[in-house]
Amino acid sequence: MTWLMWLLVLAVLIGLATLWSPIMVKADRLPPLRSYWWLILMAVIWTGDALAGENRPGLERTTKGILAAAIWLNFAIVAWRRRGRSREVEPAD
């Protein structure tokens, strides 16, 4: 395998690692959504590069697409889990 293929494998592993955290951490220990602003910026840039990356190699576009999809999915999981936690009814005293 060439180093470019290893880069793609590494991107997939990093993407899976970013998804592991919001799934395995308890919902009350997740950081607030406003702390993810830099990840959203990276995801927007990488999504644009993956979709319309002119004169870029296909493997680079694929790698950025995988990482951007993992970040978007990570953000969606965190938002969903935090929303579910906020809708839980507090017990009455």
Side-chain angles (χ1 to χ4, degrees), residues 21-40:
S21 174
I23 293 172
M24 297 309 291
V25 172
K26 292 182 180 179
D28 59 345
R29 295 188 61 209
L30 289 172
L33 293 176
R34 65 181 170 270
S35 66
Y36 285 93
W37 68 268
W38 61 276
L39 278 176
I40 294 174

Side-chain angles (χ1 to χ4, degrees), residues 3 17 20-21 26 29 31 38-39 46-47 64 66 72 88:
W3 70 274
W20 184 259
S21 174
K26 292 182 180 179
R29 295 188 61 209
W38 61 276
L39 278 176
W46 284 349
T47 302
K64 286 182 179 182
I66 289 170
W72 284 118
E88 292 175 0

Side-chain angles (χ1 to χ4, degrees), residues 8 18 26 29 58 61 77 85:
L8 183 61
T18 61
K26 292 182 180 179
R29 295 188 61 209
R61 292 175 65 184
I77 290 170
R85 190 192 85 204

Side-chain angles (χ1 to χ4, degrees), residues 10-89:
L10 181 65
V12 170
L13 292 177
I14 290 172
L16 291 175
T18 61
L19 293 176
W20 184 259
S21 174
I23 293 172
M24 297 309 291
V25 172
K26 292 182 180 179
D28 59 345
R29 295 188 61 209
L30 289 172
L33 293 176
R34 65 181 170 270
S35 66
Y36 285 93
W37 68 268
W38 61 276
L39 278 176
I40 294 174
L41 180 63
M42 282 178 39
V44 167
I45 291 170
W46 284 349
T47 302
D49 281 349
L51 292 176
E54 299 173 3
N55 300 324
R56 295 187 188 266
L59 189 62
E60 179 183 351
R61 292 175 65 184
T62 303
T63 304
K64 286 182 179 182
I66 289 170
L67 291 175
I71 290 172
W72 284 118
L73 193 54
N74 183 354
F75 183 70
I77 290 170
V78 169
W80 178 66
R81 290 193 65 206
R82 289 191 62 82
R83 181 174 179 239
R85 190 192 85 204
S86 67
R87 289 197 296 171
E88 292 175 0
V89 177

